[in-house]
Amino acid sequence: GQQLNQSPQSMFIQEGEDVSMNCTSSSIFNTWLWYKQDPGEGPVLLIALYKAGELTSNGRLTAQFGITRKDSFLNISASIPSDVGIYFCAVTGTASKLTFGTGTRLQVTL
Amino acid sequence: ETGVTQSPTHLIKTRGQQVTLRCSSQSGHNTVSWYQQALGQGPQFIFQYYREEENGRGNFPPRFSGLQFPNYSSELNVNALELDDSALYLCASSTDGNYGYTFGSGTRLTVV
């Protein structure tokens, strides 16, 4: 089945640093989504990307839809402690089914 | 407006038993999807209901079944529980299946 590979798997950063993570697939997709999941909670949509090459921001978060439509990138600028959590990329398929990536666990140290 | 609420929050069942998980959709949402999230993994799509009809299913056996009610709330039923069914079960609702899904906080099921 479809598989989305995210890297890095986990990362430790210091408060104030910028963060970059990516998501790759062997298949082409027309919509890429980025979610954040806090412990004990469901995923929350951060950014949705609908067009190849599109660059979209949401506050300190910026995401790009790769030009090949097989990848996407998420950047977080000036990280703060509440950025801690697991970040998932996701793509859409038939019946609006979401396929999630393997996740990137982010931990921020003071 | 209220978000997606799921009940119970935690549940422990014995292998072979049956379980029913419940989900109340966000107000105005007519589509509900269920996902299974094993520890350390991303959510996996189980199935989706739109206006009380199943309109999409992931790679899960028939012992996973569901219902959607006229008020758009939903149930997930799992029969003959197996140890590997231990996971966080997430419900998500949206309007007409668009991508603006709102997820609930999930039900943590432990099968012993």
Side-chain angles (χ1 to χ4, degrees):
Chain A
Q2 301 159 354
Q3 187 169 355
L4 301 179
N5 296 308
Q6 290 187 242
S7 64
Q9 187 175 11
S10 65
M11 53 197 314
F12 288 81
I13 61 166
Q14 287 194 324
E15 185 177 4
E17 288 185 345
D18 296 343
V19 174
S20 292
M21 61 188 78
N22 69 353
C23 181
T24 60
S25 169
S26 57
S27 302
I28 290 174
F29 293 99
N30 294 320
T31 300
W32 287 79
L33 308 168
W34 283 93
Y35 285 84
K36 180 182 180 228
Q37 186 173 25
D38 292 327
E41 300 292 332
V44 174
L45 181 64
L46 300 174
I47 293 179
L49 301 160
Y50 301 107
K51 187 177 178 181
E54 178 182 359
L55 189 70
T56 298
S57 293
N58 178 7
R60 294 178 296 106
L61 277 62
T62 301
Q64 183 160 24
F65 187 153
I67 204 74
T68 65
R69 292 191 284 158
K70 292 184 178 181
D71 58 12
S72 180
F73 304 85
L74 176 69
N75 296 310
I76 304 173
S77 62
S79 59
I80 59 178
S82 62
D83 290 334
V84 164
I86 303 176
Y87 292 79
F88 289 102
C89 61
V91 294
T92 57
T94 56
S96 304
K97 160 191 170 182
L98 294 176
T99 297
F100 285 83
T102 50
T104 292
R105 181 181 297 273
L106 178 64
Q107 295 183 263
V108 180
T109 56
L110 297 174
Chain B
E1 99 189 343
T2 57
V4 176
T5 56
Q6 293 186 241
S7 62
T9 55
H10 295 82
L11 197 56
I12 299 176
K13 287 286 190 178
T14 303
R15 188 171 50 182
Q17 284 188 315
Q18 178 267 343
V19 69
T20 297
L21 310 181
R22 294 180 174 82
C23 171
S24 293
S25 303
Q26 180 167 316
S27 176
H29 286 185
N30 57 15
T31 305
V32 65
S33 302
W34 286 90
Y35 288 79
Q36 179 195 67
Q37 186 175 22
L39 201 60
Q41 298 183 20
Q44 300 288 317
F45 177 75
I46 303 175
F47 45 55
Q48 177 171 283
Y49 280 81
Y50 173 66
R51 294 186 176 179
E52 302 177 59
E53 296 283 335
E54 182 181 300
N55 75 337
R57 189 176 184 93
N59 189 26
F60 281 82
R63 59 188 185 84
F64 285 78
S65 63
L67 283 174
Q68 187 182 29
F69 300 99
N71 66 354
Y72 302 132
S73 65
S74 176
E75 286 182 354
L76 165 65
N77 299 291
V78 187
N79 294 322
L81 284 166
E82 301 176 359
L83 297 179
D84 285 348
D85 295 334
S86 295
L88 180 69
Y89 288 85
L90 295 163
C91 170
S93 71
S94 71
T95 302
D96 296 329
N98 69 39
Y99 306 134
Y101 283 100
T102 301
F103 281 83
S105 298
T107 294
R108 172 74 62 190
L109 173 65
T110 302
V111 182
V112 298

